[in-house]
Amino acid sequence: MRALLVTSVGVTCAAALTLPLAAPASSAPVLSSASARPPSLTTEPRTDTTGTSGTSDTSDTSGTTAPDGAEPRAAKSAAEPAGSTQSLPLAPLAVPSNRVAGAPTVHGLPQRDARPFSLVGVVWDDAEAELHGTVQVRTRATGTTRWSDWQDVETHNADHAADLGSAEREGRTVRGATAPLWVGDSDGVDVRVRPESPAAPESPGSQDRAATPVPLPEGMRLELVDPGEDPAPEPARGAPANRAAVPAVFADTPPTAALPEVLTAEIAAASAVNAEVAELGATVIPALTQAETVESVNLAPGAKPYIGPRPKIVTRKGWGADEKLRERNFGYTKSVKAAFVHHSATGNNYTCKQAPSVLRSIYRYHVKSSGWRDFGYNFAVDKCGNIYEGRAGGVTKAVLGAHTLGFNTNTMGIAVLGSYGSTNPPAAAVTAVSKLTAWKLGLFGANPKGKVTLVSGGSNKYRKGVKVKMNVISGHRDGFATECPGARLYKKLGTARTSSAKLQGR
């Protein structure tokens, strides 16, 4: 079991700190194990209770009438958190009159109302069990009578996880889960889970033996995730709190009005691990030129700086991560020898302005629904090429992720938001992967066009302990038998390697 390396805590008081002037990065305290919350939040009631209908709710509430089966919603206060998760048990659906004898029983949830949500997924009790079958959902756009077509949910998601035997895997209640699917603002849902059909008999003599249906996992639940509101803009660095702020800016997002910020000690703690690259409480880590990047790195005398310019990175605070959701301490590995590229399999029906909401939804799904300690990937990239900090612990550090089962040690995981099995990834996203890897791999002396030998922690492709030679920039499928990162994105990795190495000056 790998130990989690924990940095010291420099916060002695959890009271909120109003910071009209931010401390320079070099003077920010080194903080780590206090969890952080969104700027407007101070507490999150965690109900996790099952009502008479079997609906588990881990959410904030507002003064509206709840649909049947959901808990009543109390008036919302400023102290309540943004975002929520509705957890609904799945059961056998009514058998249609024309059902073929011996056909597998379909589980699901009949068409019903729900509180607003934007992302869906199915979870089950045993993280080791696989869902052999198909999951389809359709949703109703909020405030309308318009239902979507049936959409497929990626069912093979066990490969996006902490390594077997790791502290994250063994020390928590981890659940099996499909990939999450972004559906946009919705208030109605319909879901069906159809098991694989039994295999046909292999010989005429076995025709009289009934084929055994493939069982579905026990304890299946539909998770409906509401990402909550986007975070309020922060005050301008070094300016009075009542002045206009410079919020995180995305490629297709116009500037927005600013509000004064209240920065809690917990948010400061989560931000301080990036103190060497950004001011305390920053929503964006600014880009640097090649010369500035080289100057910022401590190189051995005479060493050639093979490192790309640092790209702009939206911090967790910038995309609104509720730091109270994650485990308090940070986990680290020794180095970053390779980068695994993924697609999130959440679909492509999002705008870049919505990307922070997609991230908050995935984060909540990873932690609340799947039982992980934090967001699984180290970084995320949206279709416009914006780069986001993923798992907490510091963007320059070797943070231990949960992205490539068997190969999380000494690697990093980058998720390109979207599904790229049959859709080409945008050029901006591939370019962002090149920029990010040129910089981050450069911090650890890795050549993007090179090879590296990694030791498997155990996967369906390589047994535990096997030494595997891989590309320094690999796709998820290189370490695990999976479709990820999608055939179209996988084909672009050669381009990403070449561009990344060129940015490093190789």
Side-chain angles (χ1 to χ4, degrees):
M1 181 177 294
R2 281 187 287 276
L4 298 180
L5 307 181
V6 185
T7 54
S8 61
V9 181
V11 178
T12 59
C13 177
L17 305 176
T18 302
L19 299 180
L21 294 173
S26 60
S27 64
V30 180
L31 313 171
S32 73
S33 64
S35 59
R37 304 170 184 135
S40 61
L41 308 181
T42 55
T43 62
E44 181 190 29
R46 164 86 166 137
T47 58
D48 262 351
T49 55
T50 302
T52 56
S53 67
T55 300
S56 177
D57 181 24
T58 62
S59 66
D60 57 333
T61 54
S62 63
T64 59
T65 302
D68 292 341
E71 297 177 2
R73 307 179 75 188
K76 186 174 182 178
S77 72
E80 290 176 337
S84 65
T85 299
Q86 301 169 68
S87 187
L88 309 172
L90 302 185
L93 295 176
V95 179
S97 58
N98 60 348
R99 181 192 179 199
V100 177
T105 301
V106 177
H107 285 62
L109 195 69
Q111 179 178 310
R112 59 161 288 164
D113 296 336
R115 294 198 302 274
F117 63 93
S118 296
L119 179 139
V120 303
V122 172
V123 300
W124 51 91
D125 295 340
D126 184 1
E128 306 299 326
E130 291 190 42
L131 196 164
H132 295 283
T134 60
V135 176
Q136 293 182 311
V137 299
R138 64 189 189 112
T139 56
R140 183 183 62 208
T142 296
T144 73
T145 59
R146 186 176 67 254
W147 285 83
S148 71
D149 294 332
W150 286 101
Q151 300 184 75
D152 292 324
V153 179
E154 174 56 58
T155 58
H156 300 293
N157 194 52
D159 45 323
H160 299 255
D163 290 343
L164 299 173
S166 65
E168 179 170 359
R169 187 87 175 198
E170 303 300 327
R172 308 175 63 86
T173 302
V174 182
R175 304 175 187 88
T178 67
L181 178 68
W182 176 260
V183 294
D185 197 6
S186 306
D187 64 5
V189 67
D190 195 356
V191 61
R192 59 192 184 194
V193 181
R194 182 173 283 113
E196 285 184 356
S197 299
E202 296 181 359
S203 63
S206 60
Q207 290 285 354
D208 57 340
R209 293 200 302 264
T212 303
V214 179
L216 292 170
E218 296 289 334
M220 291 191 300
R221 303 183 73 89
L222 176 68
E223 304 288 290
L224 306 177
V225 181
D226 171 18
E229 300 298 324
D230 286 331
E234 65 171 355
R237 301 289 96 187
N242 59 358
R243 283 195 183 176
V246 181
V249 178
F250 307 100
D252 66 348
T253 305
T256 57
L259 297 171
E261 179 189 33
V262 175
L263 188 66
T264 68
E266 290 81 7
I267 294 176
S271 178
V273 288
N274 287 319
E276 63 186 282
V277 293
E279 294 178 333
L280 191 66
T283 58
V284 169
I285 296 169
L288 297 180
T289 65
Q290 178 79 26
E292 290 170 335
T293 301
V294 172
E295 185 179 353
S296 70
V297 178
N298 295 322
L299 294 172
K304 186 171 179 59
Y306 288 118
I307 184 170
R310 187 179 76 200
K312 184 182 77 172
I313 302 172
V314 179
T315 65
R316 287 168 65 93
K317 186 173 182 295
W319 55 264
D322 181 353
E323 301 295 351
K324 192 179 181 182
L325 294 181
R326 65 171 176 81
E327 192 171 292
R328 290 171 62 89
N329 298 329
F330 303 137
Y332 296 97
T333 185
K334 292 181 179 180
S335 184
V336 178
K337 298 179 179 180
F340 284 99
V341 179
H342 305 253
H343 67 171
S344 62
T346 46
N348 303 315
N349 296 322
Y350 74 94
T351 66
C352 295
K353 185 177 180 179
Q354 292 175 320
S357 294
V358 177
L359 289 171
R360 292 196 303 277
S361 298
I362 296 173
Y363 173 41
R364 182 173 275 274
Y365 185 75
H366 282 178
V367 177
K368 290 292 189 182
S369 301
S370 303
W372 299 1
R373 71 189 308 269
D374 193 359
F375 189 82
Y377 309 104
N378 298 100
F379 294 93
V381 171
D382 69 22
K383 62 175 68 174
C384 291
N386 297 303
I387 300 171
Y388 303 86
E389 177 185 15
R391 178 162 287 208
V395 297
T396 64
K397 298 175 175 59
V399 178
L400 180 64
H403 48 83
T404 308
L405 182 66
F407 294 96
N408 290 306
T409 298
N410 295 331
T411 68
M412 69 174 182
I414 304 168
V416 180
L417 299 182
S419 301
Y420 299 106
S422 58
T423 301
N424 288 325
V430 178
T431 298
V433 170
S434 301
K435 291 179 177 179
L436 175 59
T437 52
W439 170 70
K440 183 63 184 275
L441 291 173
L443 292 176
F444 293 86
N447 180 354
K449 290 185 71 175
K451 301 284 186 178
V452 63
T453 298
L454 301 174
V455 179
S456 173
S459 74
N460 68 353
K461 193 169 185 178
Y462 300 104
R463 70 179 185 275
K464 185 174 182 178
V466 171
K467 293 182 179 180
V468 185
K469 191 173 183 179
M470 294 185 182
N471 290 310
V472 168
I473 298 179
S474 286
H476 187 181
R477 62 175 62 182
D478 293 319
F480 197 99
T482 175
E483 292 298 315
C484 184
R488 299 291 182 91
L489 178 55
Y490 188 76
K491 288 180 180 179
K492 297 292 185 180
L493 295 188
T495 299
R497 294 182 193 109
T498 301
S499 299
S500 182
K502 186 176 180 180
L503 286 168
Q504 283 192 349
R506 296 182 186 270

